[in-house]
Amino acid sequence: MAKLTDAIKDLILNPVKEKAWTAQLGWIATVREDGAPNIGPKRSCRIYNDATLVWNENTGGEIMKDIERGSKVAVAFANWDKLDGYRFIGTAEVHKEGKYYDEAVEWAKGKMGVPKAAVVFHIEEVYTLKSGPTAGTRID
């Protein structure tokens, strides 16, 4: 299991430090049942702990269905100004009740509506998206 470094956390969280309620926009990629790729933004994607991300699933659409079918998941964050970013590969689980869901409901207050679910993403691999010769290489 991969861990989030301080540099990764800083890139994701910098807007929060500047008083925005959300971090960098997380893009979630899954694989549909027919094998086609699927991607979409999740404005609530945030750090849960050093090895886990979480987001509120507000639409309950294709990405959630893909995860429920067992799709592997990729999450990417990029900072255009810094030409830097990270891609995470791992597994995710959908929670429609319990601890994670309750925390997601609490987090959403004053920011967005009540989520349909909380999605917990376990980071297994991390890749740099920093512009230049190391782009796309795995960080161990």
Side-chain angles (χ1 to χ4, degrees):
M1 182 174 297
K3 299 237 178 193
L4 298 173
T5 64
D6 288 341
I8 294 170
K9 290 178 192 176
D10 187 58
L11 183 132
I12 293 170
L13 292 174
N14 192 49
V16 174
K17 293 175 188 172
E18 295 169 3
K19 306 294 185 212
W21 67 262
T22 187
Q24 293 286 352
L25 183 61
W27 288 85
I28 314 301
T30 57
V31 179
R32 294 187 336 202
E33 192 170 28
D34 65 2
N38 190 13
I39 189 167
K42 294 294 179 186
R43 65 186 174 118
S44 63
C45 189
R46 58 200 180 273
I47 296 169
Y48 189 79
N49 62 35
D50 283 349
T52 311
L53 301 175
V54 65
W55 65 85
N56 291 23
E57 182 53 62
N58 294 318
T59 64
E62 293 301 314
I63 287 177
M64 187 172 95
K65 291 174 189 169
D66 294 341
I67 292 168
E68 289 177 322
R69 284 192 294 268
S71 171
K72 288 294 274 189
V73 178
V75 177
F77 291 92
N79 181 309
W80 175 257
D81 293 330
K82 294 181 180 181
L83 296 177
D84 197 3
Y86 298 93
R87 179 178 68 239
F88 309 99
I89 306 295
T91 56
E93 51 199 43
V94 175
H95 295 267
K96 296 179 183 174
E97 58 183 22
K99 173 188 172 207
Y100 294 114
Y101 179 75
D102 294 343
E103 290 172 353
V105 169
E106 186 63 30
W107 183 89
K109 289 181 179 174
K111 299 178 186 98
M112 58 183 57
V114 175
K116 291 182 173 37
V119 179
V120 177
F121 173 77
H122 304 283
I123 302 168
E124 297 167 2
E125 303 171 38
V126 180
Y127 296 84
T128 180
L129 298 178
K130 186 174 185 75
S131 182
T134 62
T137 59
R138 186 172 174 164
I139 299 172
D140 290 320

